[in-house]
Amino acid sequence: MAGEVTATSEAISSELSKCVKDVILLIEQSRFCEGDLIQFRLDWLYSVVVRYVDYIPSGETVLNLLHQAAALLVTDSDNVDCRHSNVSSQAEILHSGQQGRPRYFISKEKLEFLLDMKFTSGEIASMLNVSESTVKRRMREYETFVRQRYSDISEYELDKIVEGIMREFPNSGYKRMTGLLQNGGYRVQQNRIRESMRRVNPDGVLLRALELRAVRRRRYQVSGPLALWHIDGNQKLIRWRLVIHGGIDGFSRMIVYLRCSTDNLSSTVYDQFLSAVSSFGLPSRVRSDKGGENVEVARYMLSHPLRGPNRGSHIAGRSVHNQRIERLWRDMFSGCVHVFYHLFYEMEQCGILDPSNELHLFALQFAYVPRINRNLQIFADGHNRAPISTEHGNSPWQLWISGAVTASNRGIDDFWNQGEYYGVDWDGPAPNNSTDDHVTVEVPITRNPLHPVDYASLTNSIDPLRESDEYGVDIYLEALSFIHTIISNY
């Protein structure tokens, strides 16, 4: 136990040292950057240390030094409201034939839906092009209020729920936790979520806070939902012949599909893309790299009667220009997939998994592909409901809905003047792999060693999604034992 505490203290000290060095570097290069950026970074670091001063070695000393540094900086900065004005869809007007102004009609169902999606009365008024007082009057008439929509659970119950989520998604931050709780049917105030996470895992909260690197980014510009989708494949688990394919809406950051497969075929990507189109609608354009797994999607977009060639329906470029989904891969690995990545390596270390053994790989895929896809779906649902700090706390779902209501994609071609650089986030993260964008990553097919009747017996006997206290390792070993027993009789 003492060793764990020492290791945690060393990790905290290391991350804090990196943060301080970042600020020092900014100060040394102050003639090349804005002074308010230095103040911004100092204020952020100071606020983190204030919250967790009791967990930081020599915390009071660090706090005093940061306070002195902040006092030496005097900056004058004006905050600019960068919000874009949108064309709004007006609420229906009811003419009663009587004197006075006509009444705006807002149905109870629509109002409750927007409130459930966590829009404020001001945001609802802006989307429907009515005054905020009109929205509040309708809320009183329908007797529907925001405070009624919060879950009535005790601190103990909340801690248990948060603890369970942290067990499956250990690197979740406040905003990811907010989305995961909402996906589970719990709407909880932000301050209660923060306090609960600090009670459940204070060291983890501090480490995540210190690992954050707050930066200012240029504006990513596409006109609205369905204007541009970014698609790609992730090969973090390719050692075990597993590939994750995903697609994200550029405007809203809505994850439109995210699935783990045992191959990297163009038909697999195409099927997942079509499933997303049936759920969300047909995008105006799609951006991907030049890998062969995307050829079927490209053919579909270029031959579709509502899209077609010579308008950028499919943009094939380098992975470094596909930052929207590269950022998703980073969040997905840290928030979900890293659990399986490290687990599989640990299974190899323990001698129960050999990635060169076909039977081991087949049993692994049987036991874990459903579990990975279940966690990916939970992660995607949580991501789509999590607030985004750079979008004034709106979630991808809120951005999707407000974008669809206010813009209706009428100006969907207005931004198409950048050619192959359309939808590029120049300050986004670079891809983590060095794979040539023109090369298709081939994943060998893992052959099913069982006869159809025996495979049916395997699926009926073993449920990969059953509860497991060993992260599914017991299910994998049971499946592997079943396969060995059946094959020995062939």
Side-chain angles (χ1 to χ4, degrees), residues 38 64 190 213 280 291 299 333 361 409 466:
I38 302 173
N64 290 332
Q190 278 283 305
R213 295 292 183 268
F280 294 93
R299 184 179 292 115
F333 182 78
L361 286 178
N409 288 342
R466 77 181 188 215

Side-chain angles (χ1 to χ4, degrees), residues 82 84 216-231 248-254 285-287 315 320-327 390-391 399 415 418 421-429:
C82 298
H84 295 285
R216 294 183 175 184
R217 302 193 183 279
R218 282 176 278 181
R219 187 80 177 179
Y220 170 95
Q221 286 190 328
V222 295
S223 57
L226 293 176
L228 179 65
W229 281 6
H230 300 259
I231 66 173
I248 189 169
D249 178 71
F251 175 82
S252 64
R253 285 88 145 181
M254 175 82 77
R285 298 180 173 88
V286 175
R287 173 177 282 279
I315 310 167
V320 293
H321 293 158
N322 210 10
Q323 293 94 340
R324 268 292 192 257
I325 200 159
E326 294 297 339
R327 171 58 190 263
T390 55
E391 295 293 344
L399 293 172
F415 290 94
Q418 305 171 64
Y421 299 117
Y422 176 66
V424 173
D425 180 3
W426 295 104
D427 295 314

Side-chain angles (χ1 to χ4, degrees), residues 295-351:
V295 67
E296 291 294 332
V297 173
R299 184 179 292 115
Y300 174 83
M301 292 296 295
L302 293 172
S303 62
H304 196 285
L306 298 179
R307 297 298 179 257
N310 303 320
R311 60 176 298 278
S313 296
H314 180 263
I315 310 167
R318 301 173 60 198
S319 292
V320 293
H321 293 158
N322 210 10
Q323 293 94 340
R324 268 292 192 257
I325 200 159
E326 294 297 339
R327 171 58 190 263
L328 171 63
W329 292 149
R330 187 178 73 180
D331 292 344
M332 181 199 70
F333 182 78
S334 64
C336 178
V337 174
H338 81 286
V339 173
F340 299 99
Y341 178 86
H342 294 296
L343 175 64
F344 294 164
Y345 269 115
E346 183 66 23
M347 291 166 66
E348 290 186 27
Q349 291 291 325
C350 293

Side-chain angles (χ1 to χ4, degrees), residues 16 20 42 45-46 49 61-71:
L16 185 59
V20 173
L42 262 181
L45 185 56
Y46 183 82
V49 175
T61 302
V62 174
L63 194 61
N64 290 332
L65 291 173
L66 287 175
H67 181 72
Q68 293 173 23

